[in-house]
Amino acid sequence: MSRTDDSQFRSMTPTLMPLIRRFVVHPIEAFGTFLVYAFFRVLPLDVASAIGGWLGRTVGPRLSLSDRAVRNLSRVYPDKPQAEIGAIVRGMWDNLGRLAAEFPHLEEFRLYEKGGRVEVIGVEHVDQLRDDGLPGIFFSAHIGNWEIISLGVTQRGMPLDRVYRAANNRLVEWLYRQGRSAAKGALIPKGMAGVRMLLKSLKDGNHLAIMVDQKMNNGIAVPFMGRPAMTAPALAELALRFGCPVVPGRVRRLKGARFQVEVLPPLDLPDTGDRHADILATMTRVNEIVEAWVRETPEQWLWLHNRWPD
């Protein structure tokens, strides 16, 4: 190939890559995802969860991505021996593998069924928001099987509009939406595309669910696990703007595919008239709650987030 041909090839590559991703890589990714989804879907829930946990704790710690979890844990728990940190990482992968295997079975969870696999604490706080005639915001974190938390609200007769990160692969995105259809309400993508939907949801008197434990580069610095963490202030901004209650909720994995959902009372939000101070105080309280959850069951939190970048 001549030098001219080589330069022409290089100039074409940036143009070709999006097409290759869309028409080659994405279909292959989607096909693999559908196979895994179908495999776990045909298995009984408890069997699927057990196999997913085994795969997670067997394969996960060997992945390079696992180094980030080790690094995060070493920063938060500098006095913990490496063996204990390793055990937490394996527990995290076990939980993540189980969550993936349980995802195709979300519609089978009946949270208020007597003698079922999910115990719900604090259901009165869900009913309070359902009946108060106001919009409201629930927040949670990536703990236990976090996909179940929305069911604790929607199965009490209250649709829930959920903020989520859309998949880059539109074919996989369809599958994710199908799985999450077990909880009633709209799915609102993160970013500018979802801002109007967020505002309209609260203006219409609806209820939102937001995960608050991921890094946001242009967020605000708020203490989390003993370190400043860039935190999205949207929850506080929306709550103060619409004067709506904010309710924490989490899922704790008890054993296998059995869980406890805990919903806490609405937070007492500051209202000093200093908007910036009130937002910081609100998000500080939110991070304190999430931190308490993480410290109670560190093996159930998703330590793979780049929560404290260098």
Side-chain angles (χ1 to χ4, degrees), residues 230-289:
M230 299 307 291
T231 303
L235 182 150
E237 293 171 345
L238 291 169
L240 293 171
R241 176 172 177 174
F242 289 93
C244 57
V246 173
V247 174
R250 65 151 165 183
V251 179
R252 182 194 293 113
R253 186 180 296 278
L254 300 178
K255 184 178 181 181
R258 296 187 175 275
F259 306 90
Q260 182 187 79
V261 170
E262 181 183 23
V263 183
L264 300 178
L267 302 185
D268 291 326
L269 300 181
D271 186 15
T272 66
D274 184 333
R275 179 177 174 80
H276 294 292
D278 289 346
I279 289 173
L280 177 60
T282 298
M283 296 314 302
T284 297
R285 179 61 186 135
V286 166
N287 277 7
E288 288 173 349
I289 291 171

